[in-house]
Amino acid sequence: MTEARFDDLTTPRPTTIDKRRAEHKDPARLSSTTDQRLLDSRGPGDWVHSDAWRVQRIQAEFVEGFSVLAEIPRAVTVFGSARTAPDHPDYATGMALGAALAQAGYAVITGGGPGIMEAANRGCSEAGGLSVGLGIELPFEQGLNPWVDLGVGFRYFFARKTMFVKYAQAFVCLPGGFGTLDELFEALVLVQTGKVTRFPVVLLGSSYWGGLVEWLRHTALDHGVISPKDVDLIHVVDDVEEVVAIVERGFQDLVER
């Protein structure tokens, strides 16, 4: 068995924490990630033969995620940039959102990293709510932020994405980059195709998100690749209280179904 195969199939990873912090890895030492090695088709032929065994690792990530998160209270997943500094206005907005959701009785789920994720976790935790972080193995941005009360570490993006959706009643996106856009559009596809129902998708910050929504409402819609009702799946707001109101309406619709 090669060293690379041994690393992928048997080495420990950050697992569940409860009021504890995952170990931070030295980014310089993490030359590749499990996702990268799984998806990279190049390399020695013996690497291919280990793919079937990786199914057990993938299964273990799903099982752990399901078992740890199954009994959390109703929750909202919050996305946003990991690059947002604590002195940026968006960080303050993230804290206010986390606190408001906690006060409304929701746990807050984030990717567990810095920036907006940290802000939402911090606001929730300081307001007495349950702050959840779902970390991911990356060559950078390692470990969970210090405001995560309950955390799970993942090596596979697709397992982690399932947990973001399965245990949340809504998605809220603050300003963010490719990762935030990825999660936003994945959520929209799931709602559009009926894979999840009664699932509000809220964009907080019209000055940031307005251009994207206008592109969808005009360019994409005029091109015939989406329908008017698809654009209506998105709520664009500037007020934290309005976010909570939208989330509450969605939750009540779900209860009354």
Side-chain angles (χ1 to χ4, degrees), residues 43-77:
D46 62 347
W47 182 255
V48 177
H49 301 300
S50 67
D51 283 352
W53 292 102
R54 280 198 199 89
V55 173
Q56 295 183 21
R57 162 71 69 71
I58 294 167
Q59 179 182 0
E61 292 211 343
F62 278 106
V63 169
E64 181 179 7
F66 292 154
S67 62
V68 171
L69 301 174
E71 296 184 4
I72 68 171
R74 58 183 185 167
V76 173
T77 296

Side-chain angles (χ1 to χ4, degrees), residues 19-89:
K19 286 294 185 183
R20 288 179 288 126
R21 304 294 157 246
E23 291 293 330
H24 283 255
K25 297 181 180 178
D26 181 355
R29 294 186 178 183
L30 193 58
S31 59
S32 65
T33 65
T34 310
D35 260 334
Q36 179 185 348
R37 293 190 292 271
L38 172 66
L39 298 173
D40 193 348
S41 60
R42 298 166 295 176
D46 62 347
W47 182 255
V48 177
H49 301 300
S50 67
D51 283 352
W53 292 102
R54 280 198 199 89
V55 173
Q56 295 183 21
R57 162 71 69 71
I58 294 167
Q59 179 182 0
E61 292 211 343
F62 278 106
V63 169
E64 181 179 7
F66 292 154
S67 62
V68 171
L69 301 174
E71 296 184 4
I72 68 171
R74 58 183 185 167
V76 173
T77 296
V78 178
F79 293 108
S81 176
R83 304 183 184 190
T84 303
D87 60 352
H88 194 282

Side-chain angles (χ1 to χ4, degrees), residues 166-194:
K166 181 172 176 59
Y167 295 103
Q169 274 69 55
F171 270 10
V172 182
C173 294
L174 278 75
F178 286 167
T180 302
L181 292 169
D182 174 50
E183 299 293 355
L184 166 62
F185 282 103
E186 181 148 349
L188 290 173
V189 169
L190 291 173
V191 177
Q192 179 199 47
T193 57

Side-chain angles (χ1 to χ4, degrees), residues 58-213:
I58 294 167
Q59 179 182 0
E61 292 211 343
F62 278 106
V63 169
E64 181 179 7
F66 292 154
S67 62
V68 171
L69 301 174
E71 296 184 4
I72 68 171
R74 58 183 185 167
V76 173
T77 296
V78 178
F79 293 108
S81 176
R83 304 183 184 190
T84 303
D87 60 352
H88 194 282
D90 288 343
Y91 189 97
T93 301
M95 283 191 62
L97 175 64
L101 289 169
Q103 291 162 1
Y106 292 90
V108 169
I109 302 173
T110 78
I116 295 295
M117 294 175 281
E118 176 184 294
N121 285 139
R122 180 178 177 179
C124 176
S125 183
E126 290 185 343
L130 177 63
S131 172
V132 181
L134 307 182
I136 186 69
E137 177 192 70
L138 294 172
F140 51 87
E141 193 187 310
Q142 293 298 303
L144 298 174
N145 70 66
W147 302 98
V148 169
D149 300 322
L150 177 65
V152 184
F154 291 88
R155 290 194 177 189
Y156 297 101
F157 268 109
F158 50 84
R160 180 183 184 234
K161 285 183 174 182
T162 300
M163 306 305 156
F164 280 140
V165 176
K166 181 172 176 59
Y167 295 103
Q169 274 69 55
F171 270 10
V172 182
C173 294
L174 278 75
F178 286 167
T180 302
L181 292 169
D182 174 50
E183 299 293 355
L184 166 62
F185 282 103
E186 181 148 349
L188 290 173
V189 169
L190 291 173
V191 177
Q192 179 199 47
T193 57
K195 296 297 184 181
V196 295
T197 57
R198 308 290 184 180
F199 195 91
V201 178
V202 187
L203 306 183
L204 180 53
S206 60
S207 62
Y208 184 85
W209 295 110
L212 173 63
V213 175

